[in-house]
Amino acid sequence: SQTIHQWPATLVQPVGSPLSLECTVEGTSNPNLYWYRQAAGRGLQLLFYSVGIGQISSEVPQNLSASRPQDRQFILSSKKLLLSDSGFYLCAWSVFGGSTDTQYFGPGTRLTVL
Amino acid sequence: SQQGEEDPQALSIQEGENATMNCSYKTSINNLQWYRQNSGRGLVHLILIRSNEREKHSGRLRVTLDTSKKSSSLLITASRAADTASYFCATVPGGSYIPTFGRGTSLIVHP
């Protein structure tokens, strides 16, 4: 069966510090991968998605970036965090070319920027 | 951009009662999905309804879709305290594969 991992679970970082969040998927090949951010009491904002290694699409301009160095690994990064980067970050995957577009989410990372 | 909007934003009921949440969207869709999120956790897919379907059931869940009104509803029958969570609808526009999520309905079921 497929599983998705995210780490760390929680993170407290000072403003201006770098960020690296990692997401890995097991049990499937060539998944579509997604990074979302969820502010408190809000819906999900799609940040990046990827349909293959090295293929990254950005949905919103920001100081975040994403990379997909391996088929089942998706990394969210920042060189300098802002206070507004605080939130709950969720990674998700879906079947490439699937007929249902169902998304499967990881447990999330709670990021607090102070 | 395409977005589903849930209504109400918050719902508080007693155990055993039914809970109904609604979702409205703006443009034509491929399918509509409902997800559940427990506090501080990731989202879990509940049910998907395609644009050519009008109703689907899964256990205590019943989803309806009215494409003429661009709306969907999620009914949870005989609610339990364990149903306490936020519920999101996600719409997939025609020609796309990426769902767009609404802001969710926060459901509290009191034991």
Side-chain angles (χ1 to χ4, degrees):
Chain A
S1 63
Q2 300 88 6
T3 55
I4 178 169
H5 304 279
Q6 277 187 255
W7 64 91
T10 60
L11 192 59
V12 180
Q13 292 285 96
V15 169
S17 63
L19 173 74
S20 181
L21 303 181
E22 190 164 342
C23 170
T24 59
V25 181
E26 297 177 355
T28 188
S29 296
N30 196 28
N32 296 327
L33 295 172
Y34 309 83
W35 277 112
Y36 290 91
R37 177 169 58 204
Q38 186 178 30
R42 303 294 294 273
L44 276 68
Q45 179 187 33
L46 179 63
L47 302 175
F48 301 96
Y49 67 93
S50 171
V51 298
I53 296 174
Q55 301 180 60
I56 310 293
S57 296
S58 173
E59 287 294 296
V60 292
Q62 59 215 328
N63 70 323
L64 299 172
S65 62
S67 62
R68 184 171 178 174
Q70 300 180 42
D71 181 43
R72 290 169 289 177
Q73 184 185 30
F74 207 21
I75 297 172
L76 183 69
S77 303
S78 174
K79 292 182 179 178
K80 289 186 177 182
L81 284 169
L82 306 173
L83 286 174
S84 58
D85 291 324
S86 292
F88 192 50
Y89 287 82
L90 289 160
C91 180
W93 71 273
S94 66
V95 175
F96 180 81
S99 61
T100 65
D101 316 309
T102 297
Q103 299 211 329
Y104 303 93
F105 284 82
T109 294
R110 175 76 58 192
L111 172 65
T112 303
V113 182
L114 302 175
Chain B
S1 61
Q2 176 71 39
Q3 182 177 24
E5 289 292 343
E6 295 88 347
D7 172 67
Q9 290 187 345
L11 184 59
S12 180
I13 60 175
Q14 294 296 128
E15 212 167 28
E17 295 179 340
N18 295 342
T20 300
M21 289 157 268
N22 303 296
C23 172
S24 60
Y25 57 93
K26 296 176 181 176
T27 62
S28 63
I29 59 171
N30 212 352
N31 64 70
L32 185 146
Q33 304 170 34
W34 285 92
Y35 291 78
R36 166 193 169 128
Q37 183 182 31
N38 284 32
S39 180
R41 308 292 295 273
L43 279 72
V44 175
H45 180 258
L46 295 176
I47 197 165
L48 178 149
I49 187 164
R50 299 184 188 279
S51 59
N52 61 351
E53 298 176 312
R54 292 298 168 257
E55 186 172 314
K56 285 191 80 170
H57 297 257
S58 177
R60 293 185 296 113
L61 305 180
R62 172 177 170 253
V63 169
T64 61
L65 178 64
D66 186 335
T67 53
S68 66
K69 295 182 179 178
K70 293 186 171 56
S71 67
S72 173
S73 67
L74 170 66
L75 169 66
I76 304 174
T77 60
S79 63
R80 306 166 181 168
D83 294 328
T84 294
S86 291
Y87 292 82
F88 294 86
C89 72
T91 51
V92 179
S96 174
Y97 60 89
I98 301 176
T100 301
F101 290 82
R103 297 187 178 189
T105 292
S106 175
L107 172 66
I108 297 176
V109 181
H110 300 279

